[in-house]
Amino acid sequence: MAGGSGTRLRPLTCDLPKPMVPVLNHPIAEHILNLLRRHHITEIIATLHYLPDVMRDYFQDGSDFGVQMTYAVEEDQPLGTAGCVKNIVELLDGTFLVISGDSITDFDLSAAIRFHRQKKSKATLVLTRVPNPIEFGVVITDGNYRICRFLEKPSTSEIFSDTVNTGIYVLEPEVLDYLPANQETDFSRDLFPLLLEKGEPMYGYVAEGYWCDVGHLDAYRDAHYDGLQRKVKLEFSGEERSPGLWIGQNTYIDQSAKIEPPVLIGSNCRIGPRVQIGAGTVIGNNVTIGADADLKRPIIWNGAILGEEVHLRACVIARGTRVDRRAHVLEGAVVGPLSTIGEEAQVSPGVRIWPSKRVEPGATLNINLIWGHAAQRNLFGQRGVSGLANIDITPEFAVKLGAAYGSTLKPGSYVAVSRDQRSISRMVSRSLIAGLMSVGVNVQNLEATAIPLARSIVPTLSIAGGIHVRVHPDRPDHILIEFFDHKGINISKAREKKIEGAYFKEDFRRAQIYEIGNVVYANQVVDIYGTCFEKHLNIEAIRHSSSRVVIDYAYAVSGAVLPQLLAKFGCDAVVLNASLTQTAPTAADRESLLTQLGHVVEALKATFGVQVSANGEQLILVDEAGNPIRGEILTALMVEVILSHHPRSTVVVPVHASSAVEQIAHRHDSRVIRTKANPTALMEACHTNPNVVLGGSGDMGFIFPQLHPGFDAMFCIAKLIEMLTIQERSLSQIRAELPRVTHKSCSVRCPWTAKGALMRHLVETHPVDRLELVDGVKIFNYHHDNWVLILPDAGEPLVHIYANSSDRSWVDETLRDYRLRIQEFVDENEQREEARSESEY
C-alpha cells in the first residue's frame, strides 16, 4: 500500500498524510486495510515518505486491525509509485497486489486476483468506468481484456474511453526487473508502457463496485455522502440507533435537537438544544456543538468546537477548529486544523483556510486565507490561459499567475513578455511582470508587438521562455495569455501542470529585496525579425514582382510591422485599417471588413487581398475576383503552393484537415503528418520532424519552421507574393486545380461528464481496423478519403463532428447520422443521471 500527501487536499494535509485523512471518522488507510482483510490479504507493506510516523503510530504492527503491517520509508526522496515498490522487491516472493492509500473502494479484489491468474498475466490493472476521465489514466483493452493502449491523464480531446486506471494492480515480482533501482519511477508512466512494448501479458480487469479517488475536496465530500447512503461498503464506528443514524459511545444529544438521517456522530460529543443536523452530516469524536446551530451536510473532524447559532453548509471543518457564535461557513469551504472563525464571521463558498489561521469577528472572507482568490480547477485550456477581460483575468490574478510561472523557473532566469496594443493587455502584462519579479525572475519586456516577432526573437535571447498577452482572436471580450519555451514553441502539457500546481498550492518562492527581478527592454525587435524574414525569402523575385496586394490589418499591431518590411522589398501594397487606436473588432466587424476588402481588390485589379488577424498569426485570402479563401480551401491552397516549389517534402496538418492535403502531397511525392488539433502539437511536429516545409491550417494559421516555430501570417503574405511570381499562377487558377473534396462539420452539445462514455461507445461500436485515435475518434468508411471524426471540444461542453469525402451526399448523410447518434447517446446518458439523482435523498 502506497502512502502520499495530496496537494489538492492541501489545507487538510499540511500536517497529515493523505491516507490518514478521515472518511466517516476513520483514516482512508483504515478503510483500505478493512477491504484487504475481507479478501484475506493480511500481510501488508506500507511504503511511506511524507510524515511517516503518523501512520506508523496509528497502525503500529497492525494486530489491532487484524493484519500484519511492515513499513518501508523513502528517507531521501520520493521514489514514485513504482520506485517505492521496486525498493522492497526482496520482500515479494509471489503474486502481490498494489493499492494506493488515497482511494475509497469496495472492489472484489479476490475476483481481480483470480482473473490475473486465469489469464496468466504478468500485470493486471484494475479498471473502472467514470463519467469524466480527464483526471485519470484512460485504458483500452481488446476483446480478451488484454491491454492495447492507455493514456495517462489525457486532455479533453484525447479522451477515447471512460475506462480508467484505479491505481490497483495485481503483479508478478519479475515485472519489477524492468525498473532501475533507487530511481523515481511510475507504474503508468514508466513500467506499463515498457511492458506493452515488450509484449508482456498485461490485462485490464473491469471491476464492478464503488471507487472514488479522494484527490480533491469535492471527491472527499462525495466519499462521505456515498458512505452514508451505503453506496460503498465501509465499516462504521458507533451504534446504529435508528435507520441511518450512527452514534458513538458517551455522546450526549439534547432532546430538542433535530436530526435527519443519514448522519454519523462520533464518541464523546456534546450537542446542545435545538441543534438541527441535516442528512449527510458527519461529526467526528470529541465535538461540541452549541445551541441552535444549523448543520447541513458538513464534515466535522475530531475536537471541533462550534458556538451557538453557527451555520455550516456542505463544508469541511478540520481537527481542533473553533467556529464561534453566529458564524457561517458556506458550501465547499474548507477550514484547516486548529483555526478559529470569529463571531458572526462568514467564510464564503469555496474558500480555503490553511491551518492555524484566524478569521476576525464580523469579517467576510471571500479569498483563501493565504493570498489570492479560490481558483478554477484548470488554468490552461486548448491554448494558454483565457478568461473574461478584467473579470476572470484581473491584475491580481495575473500577478499570481506570473509568480506561479516564475516559481517553476530558476531564480535569475529571464522571461520575454510581449502583448498586443490594447490597454487591457498592457495592464495584464504589467501585472504578470510584477509576479515574475516577485519570485526573482528577470523580464525582457518586448512591449506591444505581433506574436510572430515575439516567437522569432525568443531563440536569439538567453531566456527560459516567453509570455504573450492579447485579446482573444475569437472572443473580443476575453484575454488570452500564451506561454512558450526558449525555442518559441508553446509549452508542453507537463509544464502547464507544473504552473497549475504552483498556482493552486499558492506555494511561491519569495525573493529577498536584493533578489527581486529586473526589467530590461529589448531593442531592435523589428530589425532582428526583418533580417530573419528576408533570409528565408527570394527577395529578387519579390522586388521584380508586378504584384499588387491589398492588406487589411483589422486594427491589429501587425499593421505597424508588415508595412515596414514590405516597403523595404519594394512591394506594391495597399494598406487598410492599420490604425492602432480602434477597439478590437468583433467577428461580425471582421466579416464586414472582409467584404470591403473584396471590393477594393476587385476595383484595384489587385493580385490578391489578405485580412490579417490574431495579432499577426492568422489570415484569410481574397482572390483577384474578390472571393474569400479560408478554412479547408485555404489549407489545401497553401499546401499546393508550397509543395509545388518544394516537392518530396513534408507538411504537417491537424487531424481534422481535409483529405485534399494527402491528394496534393501525392501529386508532389510528399508526405503528410497529422497531429492533434491544438497549436502546441502542430508546433512540436513541425520542429521535431525532418524536411517539414509547412504546418498548420486555414483556421489556425501557417507555420514555416525554417523561420520560427509559430504561426506567421506576415511571412505567409510575403511567401505568397514570391510563389505566385515564380510559379506565374493566380489564386483563382490554383483554387481551380485543387482536388474536389467535400469537408463539412457541425457541433453537438455534450456535457463534460458524458464525453468519456461517448468516446468509449464509439470505439466499442466500430471495428478496430477502421479507427484512428490521434485525437478524438476518427472512423474510416473503407475508402481512406471517406471518414468522420468526432472530436471533443477542449473548453466547452461540445463535441465537433467532421465528415470528409469526394461524395457530397455521403458527407451530408454521415453528418446527419452521427449528429443523431450523439444526441441520442447524450439524451440517454442524461436520463440515467437524472434517474440516479432522483434515487438520492
Side-chain angles (χ1 to χ4, degrees):
M1 181 174 71
S5 62
T7 56
R8 287 173 293 177
L9 295 176
R10 188 68 180 274
L12 305 177
T13 56
C14 291
D15 59 355
L16 193 67
K18 190 157 64 166
M20 297 304 293
V21 169
V23 170
L24 299 179
N25 296 344
H26 292 284
I28 295 172
E30 186 174 342
H31 292 298
I32 294 171
L33 290 194
N34 292 337
L35 174 68
L36 294 171
R37 191 186 66 249
R38 288 201 299 269
H39 291 279
H40 311 292
I41 301 170
T42 55
E43 293 183 33
I44 297 168
I45 305 168
T47 62
L48 311 174
H49 176 68
Y50 181 66
L51 302 175
D53 289 342
V54 177
M55 183 177 282
R56 284 191 295 206
D57 291 346
Y58 186 89
F59 291 107
Q60 299 187 29
D61 65 0
S63 57
D64 291 345
F65 301 88
V67 296
Q68 176 188 326
M69 290 285 288
T70 307
Y71 302 93
V73 180
E74 303 162 37
E75 298 285 0
D76 300 323
Q77 63 176 36
L79 295 172
T81 60
C84 65
V85 178
K86 172 72 173 182
N87 202 34
I88 57 167
V89 66
E90 69 279 359
L91 302 177
L92 305 172
D93 55 4
T95 303
F96 65 98
L97 182 135
V98 175
I99 186 167
S100 66
D102 54 8
S103 59
I104 295 292
T105 182
D106 56 9
F107 286 160
D108 187 343
L109 302 180
S110 300
I113 294 168
R114 283 196 301 273
F115 173 92
H116 173 84
R117 287 173 172 153
Q118 287 166 1
K119 296 292 186 182
K120 296 183 171 53
S121 176
K122 295 291 186 185
T124 297
L125 282 66
V126 177
L127 312 176
T128 192
R129 287 179 179 142
V130 297
N132 186 7
I134 195 168
E135 290 293 321
F136 308 105
V138 173
V139 180
I140 289 284
T141 60
D142 63 18
N144 195 35
Y145 298 102
R146 186 159 181 158
I147 291 172
C148 51
R149 187 173 182 199
F150 54 85
L151 184 64
E152 184 68 11
K153 294 189 179 178
S155 64
T156 306
S157 64
E158 295 173 317
I159 296 171
F160 47 78
S161 174
D162 60 351
T163 308
V164 303
N165 177 5
T166 65
I168 303 172
Y169 314 124
V170 186
L171 304 173
E172 298 302 319
E174 54 263 35
V175 300
L176 300 178
D177 294 342
Y178 286 103
L179 295 175
N182 300 315
Q183 287 188 27
E184 183 177 352
T185 52
D186 182 85
F187 280 116
S188 296
R189 188 183 64 244
D190 301 310
L191 180 60
F192 294 150
L194 189 56
L195 295 180
L196 205 58
E197 180 185 326
K198 298 292 185 183
E200 293 281 15
M202 184 165 54
Y203 288 83
Y205 173 75
V206 182
E208 298 295 330
Y210 181 92
W211 177 76
C212 177
D213 174 26
V214 190
H216 53 83
L217 294 163
D218 290 342
Y220 177 67
R221 289 191 299 270
D222 288 343
H224 286 81
Y225 304 149
D226 292 342
L228 286 175
Q229 294 178 70
R230 294 306 208 182
K231 291 182 178 180
V232 54
K233 184 179 179 182
L234 296 177
E235 295 182 19
F236 285 63
S237 57
E239 175 188 350
E240 190 170 9
R241 302 278 181 90
S242 61
L245 177 59
W246 293 267
I247 300 175
Q249 297 178 352
N250 196 32
T251 282
Y252 169 79
I253 302 173
D254 189 272
Q255 291 181 352
S256 61
K258 293 183 179 179
I259 303 175
E260 179 189 354
V263 165
L264 171 63
I265 302 173
S267 300
N268 304 311
C269 295
R270 296 292 179 266
I271 297 175
R274 299 173 301 283
V275 170
Q276 298 193 43
I277 302 176
T281 299
V282 175
I283 300 171
N285 302 323
N286 307 307
V287 172
T288 300
I289 302 175
D292 299 297
D294 186 3
L295 314 182
K296 287 185 170 59
R297 303 181 88 197
I299 296 160
I300 303 167
W301 288 16
N302 296 350
I305 300 172
L306 310 182
E308 296 177 357
E309 300 181 56
V310 158
H311 283 236
L312 303 183
R313 298 287 184 269
C315 56
V316 179
I317 304 296
R319 170 179 55 84
T321 286
R322 197 179 92 202
V323 183
D324 289 344
R325 180 173 175 269
R326 291 184 179 172
H328 288 58
V329 184
L330 302 181
E331 290 86 350
V334 178
V335 183
L338 306 175
S339 293
T340 300
I341 311 299
E343 279 196 19
E344 300 191 11
Q346 177 171 303
V347 179
S348 296
V351 167
R352 295 175 291 166
I353 298 174
W354 255 240
S356 304
K357 296 292 186 288
R358 176 176 174 79
V359 177
E360 295 298 320
T364 297
L365 188 66
N366 293 317
I367 61 173
N368 294 342
L369 194 46
I370 306 171
W371 65 288
H373 289 283
Q376 65 223 58
R377 196 167 184 176
N378 294 310
L379 289 177
F380 286 85
Q382 178 81 333
R383 57 187 306 171
V385 177
S386 66
L388 282 165
N390 216 23
I391 296 174
D392 298 321
I393 309 296
T394 60
E396 52 270 36
F397 170 85
V399 167
K400 183 175 166 185
L401 180 62
Y405 175 45
S407 294
T408 69
L409 306 174
K410 293 179 180 178
S413 300
Y414 272 86
V415 168
V417 178
S418 56
R419 57 176 175 84
D420 68 15
Q421 81 279 11
R422 312 293 173 194
S423 297
I424 182 71
S425 303
R426 181 190 301 115
M427 179 189 78
V428 171
S429 68
R430 287 176 175 175
S431 300
L432 285 163
I433 288 169
L436 290 164
M437 293 172 66
S438 75
V439 295
V441 170
N442 301 307
V443 174
Q444 280 268 5
N445 193 349
L446 307 185
E447 300 184 282
T449 191
I451 193 168
L453 274 72
R455 288 193 195 277
S456 66
I457 199 171
V458 159
T460 71
L461 306 170
S462 298
I463 62 172
I467 305 176
H468 187 81
V469 182
R470 55 174 161 156
V471 172
H472 198 291
D474 303 318
R475 307 182 73 175
D477 58 345
H478 278 57
I479 285 290
L480 174 62
I481 305 171
E482 289 182 275
F483 295 76
F484 35 88
D485 65 16
H486 66 286
K487 299 172 186 172
I489 300 174
N490 281 19
I491 60 173
S492 66
K493 288 290 178 191
R495 177 50 68 90
E496 288 178 357
K497 294 294 183 190
K498 281 189 176 180
I499 297 170
E500 285 181 345
Y503 180 94
F504 288 125
K505 285 187 288 186
E506 303 185 10
D507 186 14
F508 306 131
R509 183 174 65 231
R510 281 280 168 248
Q512 300 294 314
I513 290 178
Y514 61 87
E515 297 172 327
I516 297 295
N518 293 315
V519 179
V520 297
Y521 292 86
N523 296 319
Q524 302 176 318
V525 173
V526 176
D527 291 342
I528 294 170
Y529 175 74
T531 301
C532 191
F533 193 95
E534 189 172 347
K535 179 181 173 183
H536 293 101
L537 289 170
N538 185 334
I539 299 303
E540 289 306 308
I542 296 175
R543 284 191 198 284
H544 295 97
S545 170
S546 58
S547 298
R548 171 180 283 183
V549 182
V550 183
I551 306 174
D552 174 13
Y553 293 108
Y555 310 114
V557 74
S558 52
V561 178
L562 189 54
Q564 299 177 44
L565 298 172
L566 293 180
K568 185 178 177 182
F569 307 144
C571 285
D572 184 3
V574 178
V575 174
L576 304 178
N577 306 314
S579 166
L580 300 184
T581 59
Q582 295 285 119
T583 56
T586 65
D589 293 336
R590 287 203 299 268
E591 285 300 313
S592 177
L593 294 175
L594 189 63
T595 302
Q596 177 197 70
L597 174 62
H599 293 324
V600 173
V601 169
E602 195 175 8
L604 295 179
K605 295 183 170 53
T607 309
F608 67 90
V610 59
Q611 184 183 80
V612 180
S613 60
N615 203 16
E617 285 195 325
Q618 296 170 11
L619 75 164
I620 298 173
L621 294 179
V622 172
D623 69 16
E624 65 275 19
N627 300 312
I629 301 173
R630 63 174 107 193
E632 295 305 317
I633 297 175
L634 178 54
T635 307
L637 183 141
M638 285 302 303
V639 169
E640 166 63 28
V641 167
I642 299 301
L643 289 184
S644 292
H645 194 69
H646 298 283
R648 295 176 295 282
S649 299
T650 300
V651 292
V652 177
V653 295
V655 65
H656 57 72
S658 160
S659 65
V661 174
E662 276 82 5
Q663 295 183 37
I664 295 166
H666 182 70
R667 289 179 187 172
H668 301 290
D669 195 21
S670 295
R671 185 168 78 106
V672 177
I673 296 173
R674 287 183 177 258
T675 73
K676 294 171 186 172
N678 67 68
T680 305
L682 283 161
M683 291 181 204
E684 289 175 345
C686 288
H687 185 74
T688 56
N689 288 283
N691 206 25
V692 175
V693 291
L694 181 73
S697 70
D699 293 331
M700 282 192 269
F702 296 99
I703 298 168
F704 299 85
Q706 70 275 18
L707 180 70
H708 62 78
F711 305 99
D712 195 330
M714 297 184 292
F715 185 79
C716 189
I717 294 167
K719 199 70 179 174
L720 270 173
I721 297 171
E722 175 197 326
M723 291 290 100
L724 295 181
T725 302
I726 292 172
Q727 296 174 20
E728 298 182 342
R729 295 196 285 178
S730 69
L731 290 185
S732 59
Q733 287 173 332
I734 298 169
R735 184 176 188 169
E737 295 167 5
L738 297 177
R740 295 288 180 258
V741 173
T742 301
H743 184 280
K744 293 184 179 180
S745 65
C746 67
S747 300
V748 180
R749 186 187 63 84
C750 181
W752 291 102
T753 53
K755 286 183 180 180
L758 172 63
M759 294 297 105
R760 174 173 59 85
H761 172 72
L762 292 168
V763 169
E764 291 178 347
T765 53
H766 292 85
V768 174
D769 59 353
R770 288 172 52 198
L771 295 179
E772 183 180 274
L773 303 176
V774 171
D775 203 6
V777 176
K778 183 181 273 190
I779 303 149
F780 293 94
N781 187 35
Y782 302 110
H783 189 281
H784 201 74
D785 284 342
N786 288 16
W787 50 258
V788 59
L789 169 68
I790 296 86
L791 185 66
D793 191 281
E796 301 290 338
L798 299 170
V799 293
H800 305 293
I801 310 170
Y802 300 86
N804 180 96
S805 175
S806 55
D807 183 344
R808 180 183 295 271
S809 61
W810 185 91
V811 167
D812 291 338
E813 184 181 333
T814 300
L815 269 184
R816 281 195 301 271
D817 178 30
Y818 277 89
R819 184 194 294 122
L820 184 60
R821 287 194 203 190
I822 292 170
Q823 285 172 341
E824 288 177 348
F825 183 91
V826 169
D827 290 343
E828 290 172 3
N829 187 78
E830 287 183 334
Q831 288 169 9
R832 286 193 297 270
E833 288 297 319
E834 286 175 10
R836 186 179 299 119
S837 59
E838 285 173 4
S839 68
E840 297 176 0
Y841 55 84

